[in-house]
Amino acid sequence: MRIESGITGLDKIIDGGIPEKTSILLIGPPGCGKSTFAQQFISKGVLNNEPTIYITLDNSPNEIEDEMKSFGFRINKHIHFIDAYGWRIGKRASKYYVSNLGNLNELNILLSKVIKEINGAKVKRSVFDSISTLLLYSDPKLAVKIIPVIIAKIKEARYTQILILEEGVHDEKTINTLNYMTDGLIEFKMQEDQKYLKITRMKKTKFKKGWIKFDITKRGIVIKNV
């Protein structure tokens, strides 16, 4: 089974959609559209009344909701934020709150709780934004060990997941390890004012190869001429 990505033009070049229960890694420099991609993906799930989990480490849930509203993306009770950002400023902005990102076990236990509480639906979506911040604020060796546990736990609960990694922050070994742990990789880049993405790999999927231009419009990411 495949699920709609929510990205205008993308499903045409990835065999009709993202394979269900897979983990897709997005990697690229800051400002290239990775978080917009993730928010658009989540919004499509909301539109379909699918339960969604958004693990946020780089922005508060309120900031993400404001960004989604600016694109006209739908927001409702089906978005369940795990707030792993607010501890930095001592401000809780979600029912599910990580009090210390250095305590990876707390994040793992909280994730299990969220999954249990919203279990039931067949199609679900999840976003982890971003792995880079997890590696920055916790022991990198422990983080690399717990990430596959998180991926497996979310997949077992029938979620299709997007994970974000910042380019230029990590060594090649870390990137290769994370690439190995996931089922697909989409790379992003910018050249002057133009943005591009490339599907490098995606499990059980025929896809268009090479760099593909896209625009970020008032409606989010749009891939043209596909």
Side-chain angles (χ1 to χ4, degrees), residues 117-135:
E117 290 186 3
I118 62 176
N119 193 26
K122 291 183 178 180
V123 179
K124 307 167 192 172
R125 301 176 188 236
S126 173
V127 163
F128 196 114
D129 188 4
S130 68
I131 291 176
S132 296
T133 302
L134 182 69
L135 293 168

Side-chain angles (χ1 to χ4, degrees), residues 152-171:
K153 183 176 294 186
I154 294 175
K155 184 181 294 187
E156 178 65 22
R158 300 186 64 86
Y159 285 82
T160 303
Q161 50 192 311
I162 298 292
L163 304 99
I164 294 177
L165 190 69
E166 297 298 330
E167 187 179 83
V169 179
H170 310 288
D171 59 43

Side-chain angles (χ1 to χ4, degrees), residues 108-214:
N108 192 26
I109 292 172
L110 184 59
L111 178 59
S112 296
K113 179 182 178 181
V114 177
I115 288 173
K116 184 177 180 181
E117 290 186 3
I118 62 176
N119 193 26
K122 291 183 178 180
V123 179
K124 307 167 192 172
R125 301 176 188 236
S126 173
V127 163
F128 196 114
D129 188 4
S130 68
I131 291 176
S132 296
T133 302
L134 182 69
L135 293 168
L136 177 64
Y137 282 97
S138 60
D139 184 324
K141 291 182 179 179
L142 292 177
V144 169
K145 289 181 179 179
I146 202 169
I147 288 168
V149 174
I150 290 173
I151 292 172
K153 183 176 294 186
I154 294 175
K155 184 181 294 187
E156 178 65 22
R158 300 186 64 86
Y159 285 82
T160 303
Q161 50 192 311
I162 298 292
L163 304 99
I164 294 177
L165 190 69
E166 297 298 330
E167 187 179 83
V169 179
H170 310 288
D171 59 43
E172 186 175 354
K173 181 180 179 181
T174 299
I175 294 172
N176 289 340
T177 301
L178 293 169
N179 191 18
Y180 170 75
M181 291 176 183
T182 51
D183 300 310
L185 174 65
I186 300 178
E187 298 182 71
F188 290 74
K189 73 175 183 178
M190 295 184 291
Q191 289 182 347
E192 298 180 350
D193 294 330
Q194 182 61 57
K195 294 179 172 63
Y196 300 82
L197 63 77
K198 178 173 68 173
I199 297 93
T200 302
R201 63 182 182 85
M202 190 171 292
K203 183 179 180 180
K204 298 179 181 178
T205 301
K206 295 179 181 179
F207 54 84
K208 183 176 180 179
K209 298 181 179 180
W211 289 102
I212 301 163
K213 292 182 180 180
F214 70 89

Side-chain angles (χ1 to χ4, degrees), residues 56-102:
T56 175
L57 292 80
D58 295 343
N59 299 100
S60 73
N62 292 335
E63 288 177 303
I64 293 171
E65 287 187 340
D66 287 344
E67 287 179 11
M68 292 179 72
K69 288 176 183 176
S70 72
F71 288 114
F73 299 158
R74 287 196 59 181
I75 299 171
N76 63 20
K77 64 181 180 180
H78 293 292
I79 300 182
H80 303 270
F81 284 101
I82 294 181
D83 180 8
Y85 170 82
W87 67 274
R88 298 191 207 177
I89 55 176
K91 187 175 181 180
R92 182 172 184 157
S94 174
K95 174 184 177 182
Y96 306 109
Y97 176 73
V98 177
S99 62
N100 180 3
L101 196 55

